[in-house]
């Protein structure tokens, strides 16, 4: 028996969050209820409500039994699922862009070609060059912010070109793309008066282009139909006949996407 042998018998409400496999559920304050309930919030976050007597073991069993239902609900909400991928801003860490992984180099040496290229523009903190991500060593303490900004800037330009043929297929002259942090959603969009645009999570830019296309198509379809009705899916199918394979791949590959979590020194394991 390990050091956590008794943890399962502990009352659920001693935890603020229940982490089980790739799911994290916020534990609601105990209420005078007799059953356990899982609530999937609109943003894809999960809450577990349980009677005061519930144990961690009982809650884990309940989540295990409900797992297919939880995944189905998360998929309906366009939610990303999966464990929090944690990064460290150290030499050799891997970061993905458009489906390929690149190692990180911390730039300190002013004599290197990349460092001098970066020196020409002091605002450049991240650069993808010669098959590696280069980050100014002075920015490593807040590397996540620098990387997010890079995905938004560089990836945003890529997305604005990439969406054009799909938007044309939908019958839109032009559709803008805003890259932002959308929590647990790949994208969001709703029809507006005037120029149309879609929001894409910066983390989406780690995916292969074929899956990013699916996210773009999905959000473009939301410009015509807000909810996931049969009409919505027929619009998606019209734009991208083979969308189902991408939808399925996204649900599995999405677990490996980094959402910005950074390891404190020495605490990469949770
Ligand atoms: Zn949707």
């Amino acid at each position: 028996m390990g050091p956590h042998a008794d943890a399962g018998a502990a009352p659920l409400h001693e935890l603020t969050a229940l982490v089980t496999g790739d799911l994290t559920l916020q534990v609601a304050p105990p209420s005078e209820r007799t059953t356990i309930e899982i609530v999937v919030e609109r943003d894809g976050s999960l809450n577990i409500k349980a009677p005061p007597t519930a144990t961690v073991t009982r809650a884990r069993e309940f989540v295990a039994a409900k797992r297919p239902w939880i995944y189905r609900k998360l998929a309906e909400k366009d939610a990303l699922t999966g464990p929090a991928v944690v990064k460290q801003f150290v030499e050799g860490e891997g970061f993905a862009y458009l489906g390929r992984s690149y190692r990180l180099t911390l730039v300190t040496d002013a004599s290197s070609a990349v460092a001098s290229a970066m020196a020409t523009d002091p605002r450049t903190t991240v650069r993808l060059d010669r098959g590696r991500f280069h980050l100014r060593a002075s920015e490593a303490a807040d590397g996540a912010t620098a990387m997010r900004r890079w995905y938004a800037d560089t990836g945003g330009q890529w997305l604005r070109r990439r969406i054009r043929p799909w938007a044309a297929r939908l019958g839109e002259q032009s559709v803008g793309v805003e890259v932002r942090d959308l929590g647990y959603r790949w994208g969001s969009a709703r029809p507006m008066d005037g120029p149309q645009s879609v929001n894409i999570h910066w983390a989406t830019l780690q995916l292969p282009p074929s899956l990013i296309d699916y996210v773009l198509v999905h959000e473009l379809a939301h410009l015509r139909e807000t909810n996931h009705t049969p009409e919505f899916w027929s619009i998606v199918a019209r734009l991208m006949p083979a969308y189902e394979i991408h939808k399925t791949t996204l649900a599995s590959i999405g677990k490996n996407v980094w959402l910005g979590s950074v390891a404190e020194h020495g605490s990469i394991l949770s």
Side-chain angles (χ1 to χ4, degrees), residues 160-209:
R160 283 173 204 112
R161 289 192 304 274
R162 190 79 178 185
I163 200 171
R164 281 181 201 154
W166 299 112
R169 213 171 283 186
L170 186 71
E172 290 286 335
Q173 286 279 342
S174 80
V175 174
V177 180
E178 297 293 327
V179 183
R180 47 184 62 163
D181 197 306
L182 296 173
Y184 291 93
R185 285 174 303 161
W186 296 110
S188 71
R190 54 181 52 252
M192 289 181 296
D193 297 330
Q196 305 294 309
S197 74
V198 301
N199 300 311
I200 301 294
H201 196 309
W202 61 265
T204 302
L205 286 151
Q206 296 163 69
L207 298 169

Side-chain angles (χ1 to χ4, degrees), residues 55-166:
T55 62
V56 171
T57 299
R58 177 75 195 96
R60 280 189 198 286
E61 287 167 0
F62 187 81
V63 173
K66 288 282 182 188
R67 192 166 280 267
W69 176 86
I70 294 170
Y71 284 132
R72 202 164 62 243
K73 286 287 168 192
L74 287 172
E76 285 170 9
K77 291 172 196 297
D78 303 339
L80 294 89
T81 59
V85 173
V86 173
K87 300 284 188 191
Q88 287 181 305
F89 286 88
V90 295
E91 196 72 24
E93 178 66 283
F95 289 90
Y97 180 56
L98 304 182
R100 292 186 57 189
S101 182
Y102 301 93
R103 298 273 169 211
L104 182 69
T105 292
L106 298 178
V107 177
T108 49
D109 180 6
S111 69
S112 85
V114 173
S116 42
M118 289 174 79
T120 60
D121 182 357
R123 290 166 304 174
T124 304
T125 53
V126 177
R127 195 181 162 96
L128 180 58
D129 197 337
R130 296 157 210 236
R132 295 183 82 95
F133 271 113
H134 297 81
L135 170 69
R136 280 179 199 282
S138 58
E139 302 290 327
D142 194 12
T145 301
M147 284 301 293
R148 275 199 296 262
R149 198 176 297 138
W150 185 89
Y151 282 116
D153 291 348
T154 307
Q157 293 172 32
W158 186 87
L159 286 168
R160 283 173 204 112
R161 289 192 304 274
R162 190 79 178 185
I163 200 171
R164 281 181 201 154
W166 299 112

Side-chain angles (χ1 to χ4, degrees), residues 75-78 187 218-219 222 226-228 232-233:
E76 285 170 9
K77 291 172 196 297
D78 303 339
H218 185 113
E219 299 311 330
H222 276 314
T226 310
N227 297 308
H228 294 145
F232 170 84
W233 291 112

